[in-house]
Amino acid sequence: MTAPASGRPLRADALRNRAKVLAAAEEVFAVQGTSAPTEEVARKAGVGIGTVFRHFPTKESLLEAVLVALLERLAAEARELRSAPDPGAAFFGFFSRVVSQAATKQAVTEALAEVGVDAREATGRAGPGLRAAIGVLLERAQDAGAVRADVGPGEVMALLAGMSYAAGRAGARDDVLRIAFDGLRPRECRDRAAGRT
């Protein structure tokens, strides 16, 4: 990680402060919305407002960094699940966690759009790693017979985006997930779950 102005690597304490600011910003924006003042982020992080602006010169750059960090964290989580003993449970569990985190991501994405920052730039940097990690989870779940063979990573990403939006708006997360999971499972798995043979 380098300092934005100088391009030099950040010192260990500066890296810690940056991580604290990002974690605080994600929490503050999730609870209070993205209109929460940057001073509240600084207070939550236990740093001065100057420290926040040293790392993130504008609120938009902070919002973008929160979105990128969230996507990178999801990609890392998906990569960790590659060796899970139950590939189907790993895939559907990950899918559920992504949708449950939708409120924060959606708030950040909407705030970036409102101020004219294209969230695709942020997702363009972190998105490919997430898509690749999800692709591996999907392939393992398909090999285990837990997910239909005719579903690709593109469809899963579209479902994740749509369901995250729907769950964030409608609040019916469990119902929405059940319907989507039924559609992702092979017919024989759905029949077994419904008691049909």
Side-chain angles (χ1 to χ4, degrees), residues 182 185-197:
D182 280 349
R185 288 187 175 102
R187 178 179 294 275
E188 56 273 11
C189 289
R190 291 193 308 267
D191 289 347
R192 258 196 317 272
R196 297 187 297 264
T197 54

Side-chain angles (χ1 to χ4, degrees), residues 12-36:
D13 61 332
L15 280 171
R16 282 191 300 276
N17 283 340
R18 185 179 193 284
K20 287 195 306 189
V21 168
L22 280 174
E26 185 173 334
E27 186 176 332
V28 167
F29 295 148
V31 173
Q32 299 179 26
T34 54
S35 61

Side-chain angles (χ1 to χ4, degrees), residues 29 34 58-68 108 111-112 115:
F29 295 148
T34 54
T58 64
K59 187 172 186 179
E60 292 76 28
S61 64
L62 177 58
L63 289 166
E64 185 176 341
V66 168
L67 179 58
V68 169
V108 173
L112 288 168
V115 296

Side-chain angles (χ1 to χ4, degrees), residues 152-193:
E155 288 89 359
V156 172
M157 294 295 285
L159 272 173
L160 276 171
M163 289 188 52
S164 294
Y165 183 82
R169 290 279 190 232
R173 185 177 70 88
D174 292 337
D175 290 338
V176 172
L177 283 172
R178 182 182 46 76
I179 292 165
F181 289 176
D182 280 349
L184 285 167
R185 288 187 175 102
R187 178 179 294 275
E188 56 273 11
C189 289
R190 291 193 308 267
D191 289 347
R192 258 196 317 272

Side-chain angles (χ1 to χ4, degrees), residues 100-126:
S100 73
Q101 294 180 26
T104 302
K105 181 177 179 280
Q106 185 172 315
V108 173
T109 302
E110 287 175 0
L112 288 168
E114 285 174 20
V115 296
V117 176
D118 189 348
R120 287 176 292 193
E121 183 179 330
T123 57
R125 285 187 281 151

